[in-house]
Amino acid sequence: MTVAAKIETADVRHDWREDEVEALFAQPFMDLLHRAHTVHRANFDPNRIQISRLLSIKTGSCPEDCKYCPQSAHYATGLDKEKLLQVEQVVEAAAKAKADGASRFCMGAAWRGPNGEDFEVALAMVEGVKALGLETCASFGLLSRDQAQRLKHAGLDYYNHNVDTSPEHYEEIISTRTYQDRLDTLEHVREAGLHVCSGGIVGLGEGNADRAKMLVTLATMPKHPDSVPINLLIPVPGTPLADQPRPDPFDFIRTIAVARILMPRSFVRLSAGRQGMSDEMQALCFFAGANSVFCGEKLLTAPNSSPESDASLFGRLGLGPL
Ligand code: SAM
Ligand code: DTB
Ligand code: SF4
C-alpha cells in the first residue's frame, strides 16, 4: 500500500466539505468502490457483519407527517394501529431474537417522542432486554436531555434517530418537526453518553448532491455516529411517496461507499429495503463497506428479507456474524 493510501484509510476526519464529497459521488464507480473497500478492509474484517433485530413496540397513528412512513396518522396506509406492547411481550421477542443470532435488539415506536407513563414502560423494556445480555437500541423519536439520560441509566446502549436526507430536501418530506429538532435530539443522545445511530433514506426524490449533504451532516458531527443506517425507501401504498421512482441501484451503492469513506470506523447498516434488492446488489453493498443488517421476517411494519434467503446469501458470500 502506498503512503498516501495508508493516510487515506487511517484518517478519521470531521471536516469533510460538500464539494469534496460531491466529487466522491462523481468518481467512476470502480474507483469509488475500490477506495471504499480499501478503507473498509483497513478498519474492519470484511467477512463479518453485525446483526440487529427490530421490533415495533408501538405501531401506527403517529402524529408526524413523514411522507415516506406507513405509520403516520396523516396517510391511509391500512395499517392496524396497536397499543404499546407489554414489557413481557418485548422481552420474550428479544430472547427469541438472541436465540436466532441477533446481537442487538432495536425497539421502535411510532411517537413524535416518548411521553408520560408510556416512557416509564419503555424504560422497563430497555431494562428487561439489557438483562438478557443483548445490546439495546431504541428509536423513540425526539428526546429531551433528561429523557436521554434516563434511557442511559436504564441500560440503553444505542439510540437511533435519523437525519433522513439533506437539510434542503428535508423540507419536502416532513413539516411537523425541523432538521434542527433532529440535530438537537442527537446532541442530547451524545451528551448522555449513548452510542449514536443515525443515517437516512435513499429514494425520497433527492439527488446525489442531497446524499452528499446528508453524509456531510453526519460526518461533521463532533463524533461520527457509531452506526449509520442507509435505508432504501420502501414505497408504501397510501403514503405520498408510494409512486416515487426507484433510484438507480448504483447510486444507492455509491451512497454506501461514500458513507464508508467518510466514516471509516462506523458500522454502516444496509437497512430497510433489502427485500427488493437482488443478491448481487446486496453483495456490492457489502463490498462497498456495509457491515450491518437487520435480520428477521419483519422490520417495523414492512417485510424484510426472509431468514432463509439471508442464510443462503451470507453462506454463499462467506459472510459470518460478528
Ligand atoms: N418515530 C421514530 C422516528 O421517526 O424517529 C422512530 C421510528 S421511524 C419508523 C425510524 C426510521 O425509519 C425513520 O427515520 C426512517 O428513516 C425509517 N423509515 C420509515 N419508513 C420507511 C420506509 N418506508 N422506507 C425506508 N425507511 C423508512
Ligand atoms: C432505521 O434507519 N431503519 C429502521 C430503524 N432505523 C428503526 C426502520 C425501518 C422502517 C422501515 C419501514 C417499516 O418497517 O415500517
Ligand atoms: Fe412517526 Fe417516525 Fe414514521 Fe415519522 S418516521 S411518521 S416520526 S413513526
Side-chain angles (χ1 to χ4, degrees), residues 73-151:
H74 296 255
Y75 318 120
T77 59
L79 197 71
D80 287 335
K81 303 174 192 138
E82 287 168 21
K83 286 204 297 245
L84 181 61
L85 295 183
Q86 289 171 355
V87 177
E88 305 73 56
Q89 291 175 289
V90 174
V91 174
E92 199 178 303
K96 187 173 179 309
K98 188 180 176 188
D100 289 347
S103 60
R104 189 178 306 167
F105 191 71
C106 178
M107 292 157 271
W111 290 329
R112 174 177 166 83
N115 264 316
E117 183 51 29
D118 284 355
F119 185 49
E120 306 304 320
V121 176
L123 289 168
M125 290 173 181
V126 170
E127 275 172 25
V129 174
K130 183 71 182 171
L132 296 173
L134 279 162
E135 287 184 324
T136 51
C137 176
S139 188
F140 296 159
L142 300 175
L143 286 190
S144 67
R145 231 180 220 103
D146 178 58
Q147 287 174 323
Q149 281 163 6
R150 290 195 65 202
L151 283 165

Side-chain angles (χ1 to χ4, degrees), residues 54 70-71 106 108 139 160 162 200 229 231 234 271-272 294 299-302:
L54 267 174
Q71 304 203 68
C106 178
S139 188
N160 165 247
N162 293 336
N231 297 276
I234 301 177
S271 195
F294 287 120
L299 294 163
L300 291 174
T301 67

Side-chain angles (χ1 to χ4, degrees), residues 2 12 65 67 91 104 138 181 186 189 210 215 232 247-248 252 257 269 278 283 308:
T2 64
V12 175
D65 69 353
K67 283 188 180 161
V91 174
R104 189 178 306 167
D181 289 334
L186 290 170
V189 168
D210 292 298
L215 294 176
L232 175 63
D248 182 340
F252 182 86
R269 182 172 307 119
S278 67
E308 296 73 34

